[in-house]
Amino acid sequence: MTTPDPSVVARARLLLVGLFALAGVAFASWLARIPTVRDLLDLSTADLGLLLLVGSVGSLLTVTSSGIVLQRLGTRRVLLVSTFVLATAFVLLGVGPTVGSRALLAAGIFLNGVAVALGNVAINVESARIERALGRTVIPQFHAAFSIGAVAGSGAGALASAGGVPLVVQLPLTAAVVIVWRLASLRGVVLPVSAVEAGERPVTPARSVRTATESRTRRGARRLATALDAWREPRTLLVGVVVLSAAFSEGAANNWLSLAVVDGFARSESVGGAVLGLFVASMTVVRLLGTRLIDRLGRVAVLRASGASSIVGLLLFGFAPSFVLACTGVVLWGVGAALAVPIGIAAASDDPVRAAGRVAVVSAFASMASLVAPPVLGLAAESVGARHALVLIVAAMVASVVVAPAVAREQPDVPTRAAVRDPAVGAPAATAEVVPAVDLEELVHARHHHARSGRAGRRHGREDRPVARGGAR
């Protein structure tokens, strides 16, 4: 597989960082206005919970098929579709509460879940392609951009609320920004698709138009089968457990940490928000700086260390006798939560041919976490309080540590040129070129063609026999 031009990769990386940040802005700017939505529609806590659950259902339904959609349409078209679905959702989220319609709000929440799931799978697959092109770990930096965007979105939502900006103005305006920003990024954000990623075979001179059409049909069926097969791969499912645990941990902090500080330590709402900010800040810093740790120590070691940090942090927060010590636990929890999802996405994307289907599977696990976490932690909080209920996340962290070996780097199942090994590490050099296998069916067609033309005796030998590049004739 030829290496993309460095300037093309650098531009795609920059544009993709922007798309991750934009996703964070859109996500948080809507969530920051939930109190206004509740007041406009006079919703109870239970009513609001059910409405928000509609978004999780939309996300889960979409993400289970997003790998197939991505394989068939490609990243650029999927991003285009998700952009307009997201814009429609934000218009409905602004109009529904304003006109007093719960139905319009529910439709907006559902479409928001659909758009977020579809767009997230696409940009995560692209982040893995950029990481492969660069030959070093960069995926956590994209997720750091999302966190930074979420902080900015929360601030924008808070300012809009303080300034009395109506939902029907703020959210459609956000939709317009999303459309312009994403459309401006589409041309350069997607790296060219290699032959290996497309699952293509080399073309022989004797291939007819009919054979080429049949080959394209086979490739389409092969891509569809690849996306579906990901659900039956033990390694992919174990990586899904890692992502589920991480999403459960991060989502629980976003939903419950502020409330746990208010109820558990008798602090004000502003202090609870500041502690949540401490969690997000620690997570963002580690995502920005932790890429070298992954390259130096490996995914498995970093994931185990992350799990241990989260476990210690959660236990400190849940049982610390002082508020300061509990805040120390929050920092450790944020440090542990930072790299697990990026590591899971990278592990699911090791094989470029199967990346879309596998990322869709692990993303579905994350969506399952968003469905399971609220009711489980809510029921526990009713009995033991929100602070102690968060300690339940320790079980998910233990599971993540146990299955950590699943994220070890997997060699793509693609024939390669004789690898040039680095004697220092005993691994193939990064510049080894991937060579697609010879299509045996096309070879048979070619030989029959020459036999019928009466030239089999002269040309069935060395001249017309396809030769693997770099191999002996």
Side-chain angles (χ1 to χ4, degrees):
M1 179 170 58
T2 57
T3 303
D5 185 273
S7 62
V8 173
V9 177
R11 181 167 184 258
R13 180 185 179 186
L14 181 61
L15 291 173
L16 193 60
V17 165
L19 289 186
F20 269 89
L22 177 65
V25 169
F27 170 77
S29 63
W30 141 245
L31 291 181
R33 300 305 303 270
I34 283 182
T36 302
V37 171
R38 179 191 61 190
D39 294 341
L40 287 174
L41 292 176
D42 193 24
L43 298 172
S44 67
T45 302
D47 291 338
L48 182 60
L50 287 174
L51 284 170
L52 294 177
L53 189 62
V54 170
S56 297
V57 172
S59 177
L60 183 59
L61 291 176
T62 302
V63 81
T64 53
S65 59
S66 57
I68 299 172
V69 174
L70 193 61
Q71 290 277 21
R72 295 188 67 86
L73 299 183
T75 303
R76 191 174 282 108
R77 289 179 181 175
V78 168
L79 282 174
L80 185 63
V81 170
S82 67
T83 295
F84 288 100
V85 174
L86 186 64
T88 303
F90 267 61
V91 171
L92 293 175
L93 291 173
V95 172
T98 303
V99 300
S101 172
R102 296 188 180 189
L104 287 179
L105 175 64
I109 292 174
F110 180 83
L111 289 178
N112 183 55
V114 170
V116 167
L118 201 56
N120 282 354
V121 171
I123 61 178
N124 276 311
V125 168
E126 284 306 307
S127 70
R129 297 182 68 223
I130 289 174
E131 181 170 285
R132 285 195 298 272
L134 291 172
R136 57 189 173 86
T137 301
V138 294
I139 288 178
Q141 296 173 353
F142 294 112
H143 289 261
F146 177 88
S147 298
I148 294 170
V151 172
S154 296
L159 288 175
S161 178
V165 179
L167 284 175
V168 74
V169 174
Q170 180 204 339
L171 295 182
L173 182 60
T174 303
V177 172
V178 168
I179 290 175
V180 173
W181 192 330
R182 278 198 174 180
L183 291 183
S185 303
L186 280 182
R187 180 176 296 273
V189 75
V190 180
L191 293 178
V193 178
S194 69
V196 173
E197 290 174 320
E200 293 178 353
R201 304 291 189 179
V203 181
T204 60
R207 169 187 269 180
S208 65
V209 174
R210 179 184 59 81
T211 305
T213 302
E214 290 175 353
S215 182
R216 285 194 297 270
T217 302
R218 290 197 305 273
R219 288 199 301 270
R222 191 160 56 237
R223 288 195 294 266
L224 177 60
T226 296
L228 294 175
D229 285 346
W231 286 98
R232 296 191 291 270
E233 297 171 347
R235 176 181 180 267
T236 301
L237 298 179
L238 290 176
V239 173
V241 171
V242 171
V243 173
L244 182 147
S245 301
F248 185 49
S249 175
E250 185 177 347
N254 291 332
N255 293 327
W256 295 97
L257 182 54
S258 180
L259 180 63
V261 169
V262 172
D263 293 348
F265 294 97
R267 303 286 172 154
S268 66
E269 186 177 11
S270 60
V271 172
V275 173
L276 176 58
L278 185 64
F279 174 87
V280 174
S282 61
M283 188 169 60
T284 302
V285 169
V286 173
R287 282 177 170 174
L288 287 172
L289 304 179
T291 54
R292 292 185 180 180
L293 284 177
I294 297 174
D295 286 336
R296 177 173 298 180
L297 302 177
R299 295 173 187 166
V300 176
V302 172
L303 183 59
R304 284 172 171 163
S306 297
S309 180
S310 289
I311 290 170
V312 173
L314 284 161
L315 292 175
L316 267 179
F317 178 75
F319 301 110
S322 69
F323 178 65
V324 173
L325 193 56
C327 288
T328 303
V330 169
V331 172
L332 290 173
W333 181 11
V335 167
L339 297 176
V341 169
I343 286 174
I345 296 297
S349 304
D350 279 339
D351 187 336
V353 175
R354 296 174 171 85
R358 289 175 174 177
V359 170
V361 171
V362 301
S363 298
F365 275 78
S367 296
M368 292 175 196
S370 68
L371 284 173
V372 172
V376 169
L377 292 177
L379 289 173
E382 287 288 334
S383 302
V384 299
R387 180 188 173 195
H388 293 150
L390 289 173
V391 177
L392 292 174
I393 301 169
V394 168
M397 295 300 97
V398 170
S400 179
V401 171
V402 170
V403 302
V407 303
R409 192 172 298 277
E410 178 189 56
Q411 292 300 322
D413 186 20
V414 179
T416 60
R417 182 183 282 209
V420 179
R421 291 189 171 270
D422 183 346
V425 296
T431 56
E433 185 177 359
V434 177
V435 180
V438 175
D439 192 322
L440 296 180
E441 182 178 345
E442 291 169 4
L443 180 59
V444 171
H445 275 294
R447 291 189 171 183
H448 281 314
H449 171 79
H450 291 304
R452 286 194 303 267
S453 65
R455 289 174 287 160
R458 289 183 290 111
R459 303 191 59 185
H460 193 42
R462 190 175 55 141
E463 286 184 352
D464 294 327
R465 187 177 299 124
V467 180
R469 292 160 54 193
R473 290 178 182 269

